[in-house]
């Protein structure tokens, strides 16, 4: 800028100032609303998290203890002394197996629904969805009898197969919409390029729905990880997932709140970590259809 | 180069929906053959059956001396170019073109040589390292064509390859595709609903409607001698004019008569009609350029009034209203001037086509 240049001041009239102020207000309102929503979801978890680090007397104190010296005694008691760390492994085995099974079966099924002229296709499709709609308790008794006869009660297979009843329809339902969004010409291109139908599916179509599969798998893991009823009634102490074991900390002489919260915190960490690590894929997967427009 | 022979081919989808009815046609080796028709005419089903993407309900498809009914697409050595490009979005331009070669397990240096040849041939060498996501429609289609030609297929199928492109690029791509075919000599099946594309590019055209083959011929043949009323109306822009009329013989001359006109037909036309049709009701068809416009009445001219004038630059299209309210399109010189409702006198020149009212077949 040389010496001759005069600095120009932009003068806003009253109307422009009002518009500018309105925009700023809207932006702050938006931030405030976002913060409120985040707090709404985060607060219960932070509360549980904090209780895990308090002693029993601090937890049961009539007034809320805001400042305290964190202790790991609850974590030690529940995970090491009671040996509940094994339940986390159980949950991992059940959730990972459920999701693997559902993805392996559900993704090709969804592709078939999307691409092949199956007789009565839509009726079949809605029938699958009704499994997802049914409350878990409706299937609990039949599944119990089935697994008892098949001698699967108390094994890992029982919760894994039971979790598939609601996870598999979810995978099929969502993956079908992802496949529907991919032009059928890509299949045709891959087949005329030299792949069989299966080859086209694996090499040309699957790479396109990778993000979708990650998103669906993540949700399925969360469903399975948090499931309570089947985990409780179809398993034994040795195979029970962590979510179903928490009520065992409610004792006749009182609930062990510190241990409940320590276990809940520990149990939520793997899923939280997974979502955090894969959040980019998750968002991309969820917005798959929208992006394709 | 391969000759494709479709023998009594039917395609019936579940429902049942008849997509292709008893189609018999031979596409000669090295030919640029267009399958033309409106949507739902069966051209895409025919194309997909040739490519092996669709099962044949009935009939046979032969590639030279090989019956291909049961052959899977990879076994047919057919390459396709798609309307929506159908590129693999997660691969670069290079990898898209190399894709069919990699499936065949070709050596890396051989793949590189062929990909560069195809890219060079299409003038897209600069694009090779780029992602296909950022390309323009024309560039994407060039990549699609590159992927199709790189493996030197025996048959090249193009499914409305330029319909998605903007008008200017479309005109350029038309020329490019014809040049490509001339240089490669591959038997090419070009599927389109755009008669201009078919007329300007193809050696021969098959016109289809409602699953039925209407006519096969060179562009000149289908334009000048449409075998059905549908072909007459579908080929040509502006379209052919049609009017119901009756044939009457007076003093040895055969006339096509309606409420609004009485047009004498040449002896040659009359000679081609059989006795049954001579007194029957027929559909007269005449192209806009076969109608002359006069400002004063003369013998055998048809009285009409100006409805709309559509200047199109090198020509003007006059929409003329006949006495019974029917509108006829007439091609007039660009300097033609008239006001709405002005009287004009139309002179029907040869060729005049007469179609059977029931079957739509050209009687001449």
């Amino acid at each position: 800028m040389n010496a001759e240049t005069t600095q120009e001041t932009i003068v806003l009239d009253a109307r422009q100032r009002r518009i500018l102020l309105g925009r700023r207000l809207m932006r702050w309102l938006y931030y405030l609303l976002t913060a409120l929503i985040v707090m709404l979801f985060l607060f219960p978890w932070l509360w549980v998290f904090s209780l895990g680090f308090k002693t029993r007397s601090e937890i049961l104190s009539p007034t809320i203890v805001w400042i305290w010296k964190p202790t790991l005694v609850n974590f030690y008691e529940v995970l090491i002394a009671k040996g509940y760390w094994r339940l986390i492994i159980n949950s991992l085995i059940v959730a990972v197996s459920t999701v693997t099974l559902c993805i392996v079966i559900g993704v090709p099924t969804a592709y078939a629904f999307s691409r092949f002229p199956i007789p009565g296709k839509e009726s079949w499709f809605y029938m699958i969805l009704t499994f997802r709609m049914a409350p878990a308790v409706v299937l609990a008794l039949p599944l119990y009898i089935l697994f008892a006869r098949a001698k699967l009660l108390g094994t890992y297979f029982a919760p894994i197969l039971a979790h598939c009843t609601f996870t598999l329809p979810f995978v099929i339902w969502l993956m079908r919409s992802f496949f529907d969004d991919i032009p059928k010409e890509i299949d045709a291109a891959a087949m005329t390029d030299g792949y069989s139908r299966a080859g086209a599916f694996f090499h040309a179509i699957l790479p396109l729905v990778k993000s979708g599969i990650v998103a669906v798998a993540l949700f399925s893991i969360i469903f399975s990880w948090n499931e309570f009823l089947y985990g409780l009634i179809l398993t034994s102490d040795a195979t029970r997932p962590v979510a179903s074991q928490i009520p065992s900390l409610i004792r006749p002489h009182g609930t062990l709140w510190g241990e409940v919260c320590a276990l809940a915190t520990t149990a939520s960490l793997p899923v939280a970590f997974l979502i955090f690590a894969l959040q980019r894929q998750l968002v991309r997967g969820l917005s798959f259809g929208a992006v394709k427009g | 180069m391969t000759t494709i022979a479709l023998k009594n081919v039917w395609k019936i989808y579940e429902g049942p929906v008849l997509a292709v009815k008893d189609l018999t046609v031979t596409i000669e080796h090295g030919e640029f053959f267009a399958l033309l028709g409106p949507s739902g005419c069966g051209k895409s089903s025919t194309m997909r059956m040739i490519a092996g993407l669709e099962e044949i309900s009935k009939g046979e498809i032969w590639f030279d001396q090989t019956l291909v009914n049961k052959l899977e697409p990879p076994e047919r050595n057919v390459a396709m170019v798609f309307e929506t490009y159908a590129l693999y979005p997660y691969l670069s331009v290079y990898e898209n073109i190399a894709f069919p070669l990699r499936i065949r397990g070709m050596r890396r240096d051989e793949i590189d040589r062929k990909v560069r040849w195809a890219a060079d041939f299409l003038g897209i060498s600069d694009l090779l390292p780029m992602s296909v996501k950022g390309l323009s429609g024309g560039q994407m289609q060039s990549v699609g064509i590159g992927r199709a030609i790189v493996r030197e297929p025996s048959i090249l199928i193009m499914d409305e390859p330029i319909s998605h492109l903007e008008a200017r690029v479309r005109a350029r791509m038309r020329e490019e595709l014809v040049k490509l075919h001339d240089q490669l000599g591959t038997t090419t099946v070009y599927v389109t609903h755009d008669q201009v594309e078919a007329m300007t590019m193809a050696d021969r055209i098959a016109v289809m409607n409602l699953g039925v083959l209407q006519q096969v011929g060179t562009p000149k043949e289908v334009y000048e001698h449409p075998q059905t009323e549908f072909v007459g109306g579908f080929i040509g822009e502006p379209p052919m004019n049609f009017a119901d009329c009756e044939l009457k013989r007076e003093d040895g001359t055969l006339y096509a008569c309606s409420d609004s006109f009485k047009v004498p037909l040449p002896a040659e036309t009359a000679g081609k009609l059989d006795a049954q049709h001579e007194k029957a009701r027929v559909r007269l068809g005449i192209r806009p350029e076969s109608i002359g416009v006069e400002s004063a009445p003369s013998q055998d001219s048809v009285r009409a009034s100006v409805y709309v004038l559509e200047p199109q630059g090198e020509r003007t299209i006059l929409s003329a209203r006949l006495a019974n309210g029917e509108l006829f399109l007439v091609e007039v010189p660009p300097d033609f001037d008239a006001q709405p409702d002005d009287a004009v006198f139309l002179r029907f020149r040869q060729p005049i086509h007469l179609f059977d009212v029931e079957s739509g077949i050209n009687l001449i």
Side-chain angles (χ1 to χ4, degrees):
Chain A
M1 201 183 281
N2 60 36
E4 280 83 35
T5 313
T6 54
Q7 199 156 11
E8 281 183 43
T9 324
I10 300 165
V11 183
L12 299 176
D13 62 27
R15 193 176 141 273
Q16 284 171 322
R17 271 203 299 273
R18 268 205 310 278
I19 291 172
L20 211 65
L21 193 72
R23 275 192 198 151
R24 264 185 211 154
L25 265 173
M26 281 304 290
R27 199 182 310 151
W28 281 108
L29 208 68
Y30 169 76
Y31 287 146
L32 191 73
L33 204 69
T34 312
L36 271 174
I37 291 170
V38 170
M39 277 312 293
L40 193 73
F41 285 97
L42 213 57
F43 182 76
W45 194 82
L46 284 175
W47 193 255
V48 167
F49 181 78
S50 69
L51 290 190
F53 292 94
K54 285 181 179 176
T55 60
R56 189 168 168 78
S57 57
E58 284 164 345
I59 292 169
L60 297 177
S61 157
T63 52
I64 297 169
V65 181
W66 291 108
I67 297 164
W68 76 99
K69 193 173 163 214
T71 170
L72 288 173
V73 69
N74 292 321
F75 288 87
Y76 176 80
E77 274 300 318
V78 74
L79 294 175
I80 311 294
K82 290 194 172 67
Y84 279 12
W85 61 271
R86 282 193 198 88
L87 305 182
I88 310 255
I89 307 290
N90 287 348
S91 278
L92 269 176
I93 291 170
V94 170
V96 171
S97 307
T98 302
V99 171
T100 309
L101 200 62
C102 289
I103 294 291
V104 168
I105 298 171
V107 172
T109 310
Y111 179 69
F113 268 114
S114 172
R115 295 296 197 262
F116 297 118
I118 304 162
K121 181 155 83 172
E122 293 312 310
S123 309
W124 283 105
F125 194 54
Y126 279 93
M127 201 185 84
I128 288 173
L129 187 69
T130 52
F131 285 117
R132 184 78 188 88
M133 290 170 174
V137 74
V138 171
L139 292 176
L141 190 64
L143 284 178
Y144 185 88
I145 296 168
L146 269 174
F147 290 147
R149 291 206 176 152
K151 300 202 184 327
L152 290 176
L153 281 185
T155 67
Y156 285 120
F157 289 108
I160 291 168
L161 293 176
H163 287 183
C164 285
T165 59
F166 56 86
T167 310
L168 191 56
F170 173 77
V171 172
I172 295 172
W173 185 263
L174 225 64
M175 286 312 300
R176 183 195 172 173
S177 69
F178 289 152
F179 287 127
D180 281 348
D181 282 341
I182 295 173
K184 292 187 175 64
E185 283 85 355
I186 300 263
D187 306 54
M191 284 197 280
T192 47
D193 279 348
Y195 275 126
S196 61
R197 170 63 85 167
F201 169 67
F202 283 113
H203 295 100
I205 304 297
L206 274 192
L208 283 171
V209 291
K210 221 165 43 189
S211 305
I213 292 176
V214 170
V216 170
L218 263 182
F219 273 107
S220 303
I221 281 188
I222 296 169
F223 291 151
S224 175
W225 191 271
N226 293 339
E227 200 280 330
F228 174 76
L229 185 66
Y230 295 147
L232 186 69
I233 62 170
L234 302 175
T235 58
S236 63
D237 284 345
T239 56
R240 188 156 299 142
V242 65
S244 306
Q245 189 66 5
I246 290 177
S248 70
L249 298 170
I250 302 167
R251 300 287 167 87
H253 55 270
T255 302
L256 305 171
W257 285 116
E259 292 182 23
V260 167
C261 293
L263 191 58
T265 302
T266 316
S268 60
L269 281 180
V271 178
F273 174 76
L274 208 61
I275 292 176
F276 195 72
L278 297 172
Q279 60 175 323
R280 187 174 294 199
Q281 300 262 14
L282 185 68
V283 172
R284 200 184 306 156
L286 289 178
S287 57
F288 187 77
V291 172
K292 275 194 61 56
Chain B
M1 282 197 281
T2 304
T3 300
I4 310 166
L6 286 83
K7 295 179 181 171
N8 308 102
V9 170
W10 292 68
K11 180 66 200 177
I12 303 160
Y13 290 104
E14 237 184 276
V17 178
L18 179 65
V20 178
K21 188 180 170 188
D22 200 16
L23 175 64
T24 299
V25 66
T26 302
I27 301 164
E28 301 298 340
H29 69 97
E31 193 174 25
F32 196 121
F33 190 86
L35 278 174
L36 174 67
S39 56
C41 73
K43 59 184 190 299
S44 292
S45 298
T46 306
M47 168 207 81
R48 291 176 65 83
M49 285 191 285
I50 295 173
L53 298 168
E54 206 81 70
E55 266 185 45
I56 302 159
S57 306
K58 237 192 303 182
E60 293 175 348
I61 297 183
W62 293 79
F63 287 0
D64 291 332
Q65 269 72 54
T66 313
L67 180 68
V68 297
N69 282 32
K70 297 286 174 202
L71 293 188
E72 291 293 319
E75 298 165 319
R76 298 192 185 196
N77 198 20
V78 171
M80 276 185 81
V81 178
F82 298 87
E83 180 181 4
T84 51
Y85 323 128
L87 300 178
Y88 309 111
Y90 46 89
L91 297 178
S92 66
V93 170
Y94 184 98
E95 285 303 325
N96 263 282
I97 298 176
F99 195 82
L101 305 180
R102 292 208 192 285
I103 298 172
R104 281 162 181 74
M106 210 172 260
R107 280 203 339 266
R108 190 179 289 186
D109 56 335
E110 185 74 354
I111 290 175
D112 191 64
R113 192 181 61 75
K114 281 179 175 274
V115 169
R116 290 189 191 284
W117 165 79
D120 192 43
F121 189 81
L122 296 161
I124 51 168
S125 297
D126 298 349
L127 306 179
L128 283 177
M130 289 168 69
S131 159
V132 293
K133 280 180 188 164
L135 303 183
S136 69
Q139 288 171 326
M140 280 206 223
Q141 198 52 288
S142 294
V143 178
I145 295 166
R147 183 179 62 184
I149 64 169
V150 73
R151 60 190 171 92
E152 296 162 46
S154 25
I155 295 162
L156 185 59
I157 296 179
M158 301 196 187
D159 181 15
E160 312 234 7
I162 57 178
S163 310
H164 260 54
L165 306 178
E166 59 180 88
R168 207 164 46 85
V169 184
R170 210 155 52 211
R172 190 178 57 77
M173 282 297 273
R174 274 211 299 261
E175 294 162 12
E176 294 290 326
L177 289 175
V178 172
K179 202 177 81 187
L180 175 93
H181 173 260
D182 289 347
Q183 289 177 355
L184 295 176
T186 312
T187 309
T188 303
V189 182
Y190 190 96
V191 178
T192 182
H193 67 274
D194 185 341
Q195 49 108 12
V196 178
E197 280 175 25
M199 296 290 283
T200 52
M201 297 165 76
D203 296 326
R204 281 195 309 152
I205 301 172
V207 187
M208 294 182 75
N209 186 37
L210 300 172
V212 179
L213 177 67
Q214 303 283 316
Q215 185 173 359
V216 183
T218 62
K220 194 173 154 65
E221 279 166 4
V222 291
Y223 186 80
E224 291 181 356
H225 306 290
Q227 282 174 5
T228 65
E229 184 185 334
F230 174 81
V231 176
F234 194 75
I235 304 273
E237 178 57 39
M240 184 181 270
N241 299 294
F242 293 101
D244 285 325
C245 60
E246 216 166 326
L247 297 180
K248 281 182 189 162
R249 193 174 280 278
E250 285 176 19
D251 306 328
T253 306
L254 193 67
Y255 288 91
C257 307
S258 84
D259 302 343
S260 2
F261 58 79
K262 184 179 174 190
V263 182
L265 298 170
E268 192 191 334
T269 305
K272 286 179 185 168
L273 287 171
D274 54 36
Q276 193 194 342
H277 279 108
E278 233 188 64
K279 285 172 196 159
R281 289 194 68 78
V282 292
R283 248 137 105 111
L284 176 142
I286 185 162
R287 294 208 179 274
E289 67 270 24
S290 302
I291 303 176
V293 179
E294 296 164 353
S295 53
S298 63
Q299 198 190 354
D300 301 327
S301 67
V302 178
R303 189 185 169 84
S305 62
V306 173
Y307 184 60
V308 173
L309 267 183
E310 252 184 79
Q312 294 184 346
E314 80 283 9
R315 64 178 181 183
T316 293
I317 302 301
L318 161 69
S319 179
R321 192 197 288 274
L322 305 191
N324 64 355
E326 273 178 318
L327 291 175
F328 262 43
L329 298 176
V330 183
E331 199 178 307
V332 292
D335 56 354
F336 180 86
D337 192 29
Q339 296 304 314
D341 297 327
D342 280 359
V344 284
F345 297 89
L346 310 180
R347 174 164 295 282
F348 290 7
R349 296 190 296 252
Q350 287 302 317
I352 294 173
H353 304 278
L354 298 175
F355 300 99
D356 185 275
V357 175
E358 296 290 320
S359 64
I361 290 171
N362 197 337
L363 301 170
I364 302 168

